[in-house]
Amino acid sequence: MKLCIYGMGGLGKEVFDIALRANKVNSYWDEIFFIVDDLDSQKETYELPIPMMNILNGGSHADNSIDFQEFMVMPVGASSFSHALQMGTEIFHCLKSELKNNGYSTNVGDEGGFAPNLSSNTEAIEVVLKSIKSAGYIAGKDVYIAIDAAASEFYNKKENVYHLHQSTGEKLSPNEMVDYWQNWTNQYPIISIEDGLDEDDWDAWKKLTDKVGDKIQLVGDDLFVTNVNRLQKGIDEAKKFTTVFEELALKQTIKKERKILNFDKKKR
């Protein structure tokens, strides 16, 4: 099982900002680097991961007609991290031009992606694909799409449906939501889906993993929420989650992160 630490987005960035204002940056980051190094202290060299670059926002991060929180690009064809950053930047600016030329706002959402009032989730992913092409890259070869759906935000627990209330108004059962994601991964060059289902919809998560887990990365952020008990449940019941995604949040201590990292290390 792969463990990723994401410490500079969302609340994680607030941790850094607060530390900066308190002149405690070094103490925070020394600890974080120590924890990361402790996971694999035998390695002599390290590789930077392929960046997941947030360029289009919806859901609770934007006041528009897109249900899914983040549409990201992953420059898998880049020769280096700096090259990947360049590719992502070029796509970002091509997206800005694409939106502007079609009369959409180029204001940004809470996490830095554009937040245009597009008509649907489909239009959102289509405009990202156009921007990849405009930047001179091939979607599905040079660049793939990653999505953070934040499905818990549009899941109606009382009715047990996923209500796409910001776009089409559809109400999908858990099985239909799983089929939705399967259809999208067949139709579009998607390489990663984060929080594609509600944080407590374990049965649907297992079904989604069975259907697309060998094809794409499935990320359980809200699902595991830096919680040893939930992580253990995922190991016991799902077995096949491809990534555990732990985000450093404002109220989470470094000691708690160490406990999670050590727990996962023992299970690998």
Side-chain angles (χ1 to χ4, degrees):
M1 182 178 286
K2 181 170 58 177
L3 179 65
C4 302
I5 298 178
Y6 177 64
M8 289 302 296
L11 291 176
K13 187 176 185 300
E14 293 183 33
V15 173
F16 182 82
D17 291 340
I18 290 171
L20 184 64
R21 290 196 295 271
N23 294 317
K24 294 181 179 179
V25 174
N26 289 336
S27 62
Y28 271 88
W29 286 103
D30 285 345
E31 184 71 0
I32 290 170
F33 287 136
F34 173 78
I35 290 172
V36 174
D37 182 67
D38 188 57
L39 275 176
D40 198 353
S41 58
Q42 301 304 313
K43 290 188 66 174
E44 296 182 358
T45 60
Y46 296 88
E47 295 180 1
L48 288 171
I50 297 171
M52 301 170 72
M53 308 176 75
N54 175 18
I55 64 173
L56 189 68
N57 288 171
S60 62
H61 283 186
D63 184 16
N64 59 19
S65 298
I66 305 171
D67 297 288
F68 307 144
Q69 186 167 277
E70 295 175 5
F71 288 80
M72 299 168 276
V73 290
M74 292 185 69
V76 299
S79 57
S80 64
F81 187 88
S82 59
H83 184 209
L85 182 60
Q86 174 189 331
M87 292 170 68
T89 302
E90 291 169 350
I91 295 167
F92 182 85
H93 286 287
C94 284
L95 176 58
K96 182 176 182 178
S97 296
E98 185 74 30
L99 295 173
K100 189 174 182 180
N101 292 339
N102 285 279
Y104 290 113
S105 168
T106 53
N107 292 331
V108 296
D110 292 348
E111 298 214 354
F114 294 112
N117 193 25
L118 301 174
S119 62
S120 66
N121 303 313
T122 298
E123 187 177 5
I125 196 169
E126 292 286 357
V127 75
V128 171
L129 290 171
K130 287 181 181 178
S131 302
I132 293 172
K133 184 176 181 180
S134 296
Y137 300 112
I138 301 173
K141 180 181 179 183
D142 303 317
V143 182
Y144 280 82
I145 293 175
I147 296 172
D148 178 357
S152 293
E153 297 289 336
F154 56 85
Y155 175 70
N156 186 317
K157 187 175 183 178
K158 185 176 180 180
E159 298 181 22
N160 191 30
V161 296
Y162 291 88
H163 186 192
L164 305 182
H165 56 89
Q166 291 187 217
S167 58
T168 62
E170 291 177 278
K171 291 185 178 182
L172 305 177
S173 68
N175 285 340
E176 289 172 333
M177 195 70 227
V178 169
D179 290 340
Y180 184 103
W181 288 127
Q182 183 179 29
N183 291 336
W184 262 38
T185 57
N186 289 334
Q187 186 175 357
Y188 300 113
I190 295 172
I191 198 171
S192 177
I193 297 175
E194 176 184 346
D195 294 336
L197 297 162
D198 179 65
E199 60 196 53
D200 291 316
D201 198 353
W202 290 91
D203 288 340
W205 270 106
K206 286 187 281 187
K207 291 176 182 176
L208 181 62
T209 303
D210 288 341
K211 289 194 173 185
V212 303
D214 60 347
K215 178 182 178 182
I216 68 169
Q217 172 178 266
L218 293 176
V219 183
D221 180 13
D222 293 343
L223 185 68
F224 295 114
V225 292
T226 322
N227 183 297
V228 171
N229 293 330
R230 293 182 69 89
L231 181 57
Q232 183 63 63
K233 183 173 181 177
I235 293 171
D236 291 342
E237 296 190 14
K239 301 291 186 183
K240 290 169 60 181
F241 287 109
T242 56
T243 304
V244 178
F245 188 68
E246 299 299 345
E247 181 169 349
L248 296 177
L250 187 60
K251 294 183 180 179
Q252 294 166 350
T253 65
I254 295 298
K255 288 183 179 179
K256 188 175 181 182
E257 289 294 333
R258 181 194 292 276
K259 184 178 180 182
I260 292 293
L261 298 179
N262 289 338
F263 176 84
D264 181 73
K265 182 179 180 181
K266 292 176 183 177
K267 295 295 181 179
R268 284 187 301 165

